[in-house]
Amino acid sequence: AQRVTQPEKLLSVFKGAPVELKCNYSYSGSPELFWYVQYSRQRLQLLLRHISRESIKGFTADLNKGETSFHLKKPFAQEEDSAMYYCALVYNFNKFYFGSGTKLNVKP
Amino acid sequence: KAGVTQTPRYLIKTRGQQVTLSCSPISGHRSVSWYQQTPGQGLQFLFEYFSETQRNKGNFPGRFSGRQFSNSRSEMNVSTLELGDSALYLCASSGGMGGGAGGNEQFFGPGTRLTVL
């Protein structure tokens, strides 16, 4: 069965510190993975997707098929990164499985 | 382009009633997906409609149904409401064609907050 696990509900770091939000998945086929973000009082929005292999707002995520992980990383956290982050697995065009989310709190 | 809109934004119903929620996608988008968001279960996929046909379905009971119109607008209906149906219902639209295994960027609406008393 498909599953997306985000083990941390809350992650607190200081400004300038590195941050890693963990995401593990379970899927028998070739996964397509995304990170979505929700800033305070804003809508859920796409942050990045693994097939594009790009860096958005300093965030990167690498798909590790051996470890079935898609961790989100940023070398130097900023206060404006504070938000709720969701990892998502998608297959069959648009069938999305979201993880439970990690709240990132970047302290000044 | 105007974003995804959902109406109404808030609803209060009592157990046993039924409710219809509406979603207007971004112009040109043919796929509309619905999600239920609760503190305990997080974001759960309800179903997706593409070109007026249900293309994907999540693991929700038959009380939850939906449809899509020729202009891509979508409605979601919940019959015989239960207390546990209290949630934020999110709608998302996308181009829908996907690539490879699929997965288009989903553009989310603000949600409809349903409270069942």
Side-chain angles (χ1 to χ4, degrees):
Chain A
Q2 298 75 23
R3 184 173 293 175
V4 176
T5 304
Q6 293 180 252
E8 304 130 333
K9 285 191 173 181
L10 174 65
L11 185 62
S12 286
V13 301
F14 284 102
K15 176 182 171 182
V19 62
E20 182 180 52
L21 290 86
K22 290 184 168 50
C23 172
N24 289 90
Y25 67 90
S26 173
Y27 180 59
S28 56
S30 290
E32 186 154 359
L33 291 149
F34 294 73
W35 277 99
Y36 277 79
V37 61
Q38 188 166 27
Y39 301 102
S40 179
R41 297 189 187 86
Q42 292 188 28
R43 302 180 184 194
L44 198 58
Q45 58 187 282
L46 176 67
L47 180 62
L48 55 79
R49 55 196 302 175
H50 91 272
I51 59 171
S52 60
R53 302 184 65 80
E54 57 191 344
S55 173
I56 303 292
K57 298 184 179 182
F59 285 97
T60 59
D62 290 318
L63 177 62
N64 186 323
K65 292 187 178 181
E67 296 182 359
T68 59
S69 68
F70 188 55
H71 303 328
L72 184 67
K73 300 177 184 178
K74 184 170 183 177
F76 307 104
Q78 303 299 315
E79 289 181 68
E80 55 265 30
D81 296 329
S82 294
M84 196 74 183
Y85 291 80
Y86 293 92
C87 180
L89 167 74
V90 61
Y91 68 102
N92 198 32
F93 292 104
N94 272 343
K95 191 165 186 177
F96 276 75
Y97 280 94
F98 281 87
S100 54
T102 297
K103 184 173 183 179
L104 176 64
N105 179 33
V106 181
K107 298 176 282 189
Chain B
K1 275 185 179 178
V4 177
T5 58
Q6 292 186 244
T7 56
R9 294 293 310 279
Y10 301 91
L11 265 178
I12 299 176
K13 293 284 186 180
T14 55
R15 279 182 299 172
Q17 287 187 308
Q18 75 163 16
V19 67
T20 299
L21 313 182
S22 182
C23 172
S24 292
I26 290 172
S27 178
H29 283 185
R30 296 164 64 187
S31 167
V32 174
S33 298
W34 288 90
Y35 298 85
Q36 183 194 66
Q37 186 175 31
T38 58
Q41 300 294 322
L43 262 168
Q44 292 189 284
F45 177 84
L46 278 154
F47 31 64
E48 181 219 4
Y49 285 86
F50 178 75
S51 293
E52 302 179 64
T53 301
Q54 189 180 86
R55 184 163 67 175
N56 282 297
K57 189 178 186 306
N59 298 320
F60 279 80
R63 300 186 297 108
F64 292 82
S65 63
R67 59 178 174 168
Q68 186 180 34
F69 303 95
S70 58
N71 61 358
S72 292
R73 190 178 69 84
S74 178
E75 288 182 348
M76 190 192 91
N77 185 275
V78 188
S79 62
T80 320
L81 283 166
E82 301 177 358
L83 295 179
D85 297 334
S86 293
L88 181 68
Y89 289 88
L90 292 170
C91 161
S93 76
S94 72
M97 294 309 294
N104 293 104
E105 177 178 357
Q106 302 268 291
F107 292 84
F108 283 84
T112 294
R113 173 75 61 186
L114 172 64
T115 302
V116 182
L117 303 176

